[in-house]
Amino acid sequence: MYYGVDYYPEHWDETMWEPDLRLMKEARFNMVRIAEFAWSRLEPREGEYDFAWLDRFLKLCNEQDMLVMMGIPARNVPAWLIKKFPDLAVVTKEGIRESFGSRYTICLNHPYWPQYALRLAEKMAERYGSHPLVHSWHLDNEYGDGNICYCEHCRIRFTEWLKEKYGTIQKLNAAWGLVFWSLEISDWDELWLPAMTNRFGHNPGLLQDHHRFVSWTTEQFVMKQGDAFRKLAPDQPITTNLQSMTRYHTDYYQLSEQIDMVSTNYYPPLSYNSADLDLMRSLKNQNFWVVEQKSGPPGWAHNGYLTPAPGETRMYTYQAIGHGADAILYFRWRPSNFGQEQFHKGILDYDSKTNRIFKEISQVGEELQKIAPALKGTTCQAEVAILFSYDSRWALEHYYPHPDIQYRDYFLTYYLELQRQHVMADLVQPKTDLSKYKAVFAPLVYLMDQEIADNLARYVEQGGTLVYTFRSGAKDEYNNVVRSTLRPVIRNMLGIEIEESFALNPQEVNFMSAANGDIFSSSRWVDLIQPVQAEVIARYESQWYKGYPAVTSNSYGKGKAYYIGTFTEDDRFYESIVSRVLQETGVQPLINVPREVEVTVRTDGHKSIYFIMNRASELQEIVLSGTYWDVIQDMELQGRFEIEPFGVRILTKT
């Protein structure tokens, strides 16, 4: 278990380094992440490198037996480079060239920037590639954020990317349907980027391919950076920190192929939640690292309202570990009293004195020394999967079927209900082999090609249970509406026809009645379903379409496929449909605890380690069936016990 903190030695007087490192050891830290924003100190003038300060810091780390995750700056360039290449700055969607002075403001498609960034990477790899303390390499910072540019360099490279994909202009014109509004091109030089237009939007095919291109651009540079280290530092793993589902201009499934270990940031509870942790674990189907774990309140121009309550930092640390994290590095050691993140707090405050958060994190450090042997070799194994599609989210971004149906929000309704029923889930791509899962949920898989459709039908036919929702498969791979409403293989799998589909007025609410008498709300979207073979689970209660099926199920091959034809804000519906699927497929809760309490498990196939975490604001009562061992308190545990708000119990059962 790697346990540590993000530190910026270049921000502080060197006399502070040794006391800081000694205090880190008191907290039981064994790793520190450094240098991801330090290009101006590492290369203060073009071709003049200064590693002496970094050498001095590593020497102090050696004295404290502290491993180093070495950051490699790339996108926050020094002033001399932007002065040499003014066109390196990003051109915004509005056509404005950004000024120097912030972060992520350079164009990844500039012809010369990669040479300078890769040269710095190679210099660092040559110097520290065999350094005994340099444990791993952290490529830049937050590659899933920023850097969408609309300059001429981008247009030229986008054109080359499209040439490679489509081969001929005729195929491009046909794929995008550019005959609409007379947008057809006859020469590759006539291609354009989807920059700002008037009130009418860009062609959906253009928008979709541009999203893919932007993601590919990042993937390509990360691959080049990674190759440099694999050549010069082959024994040190490569990583970079990915972010929450609120950031989605880079396809993390693709990006993760370019790194050895997936890492992430984790700043709950607002923009991050445990689904982001499960996504990181699912990207490479292996454990991951958290290299920016929330300690104090994060903030840029504000401060205070996200201050963690006592126990909260500890609980979210164990939440990350319980979902598969093998490293926890807190952001950051102390807040900076200068620069743009002055209000982004850390473990210590500005005065550098120890405080309650330091003591809480030190407590976790002590506990991890007990827990680490049990965690060794364990990972999370899920029986359920939820399909997560960047392609679908991109397609939905510009042309939502309803303004109040958002991809992430709808995805999380299914994820969070599974969590409330104490079942873990993998978050997988639609083309993933699904055969190992007992149940799969497919919310808003809006954009779908034939390969995805065949994959889902094959999964059900071979014995799986699938929950398929409205608007899934509505678009093809070119972001064009599918003429047949449902692809034939999906229609056969679901055992239905869709007679008509439409959005409801935002204020309009209908209801649907289930066969067992339950009544649920229905809003935002309506599919009028005609069953062919399917069983009707619920019907609309009123309006001119009263009596039409809203939810169906169909046996197909050895499996079963559910169709959810409407949107609902009623949590009872999601509880009902998830419960039904879990019961039918034999998926059991990890431990029976109140819905407000989260449970995760890590296992090596022999021993299992359960993390029980109270995310509620009230005391919760737990009743165990069977005997467990409390790893932290070194005691046998059975029967009834209480867990306080933000409380954590870690139990083993062999």
Side-chain angles (χ1 to χ4, degrees), residues 279-317:
L279 175 61
M280 296 303 128
R281 187 189 69 247
S282 302
L283 294 177
K284 294 175 80 71
N285 194 28
Q286 65 181 35
N287 289 359
F288 59 96
W289 295 341
V290 177
V291 296
E292 289 188 24
Q293 176 84 25
K294 175 184 172 183
S295 53
W300 284 60
H302 48 76
N303 191 9
Y305 68 83
L306 292 176
T307 296
E312 187 176 356
T313 299
R314 175 175 177 266
M315 187 200 73
Y316 282 124
T317 299

Side-chain angles (χ1 to χ4, degrees), residues 1-3 31 69 288-291 320-321 324-329:
M1 193 78 203
Y2 301 110
Y3 192 56
M31 180 179 284
M69 180 181 289
F288 59 96
W289 295 341
V290 177
V291 296
I321 295 170
D326 281 345
I328 299 289
L329 306 182

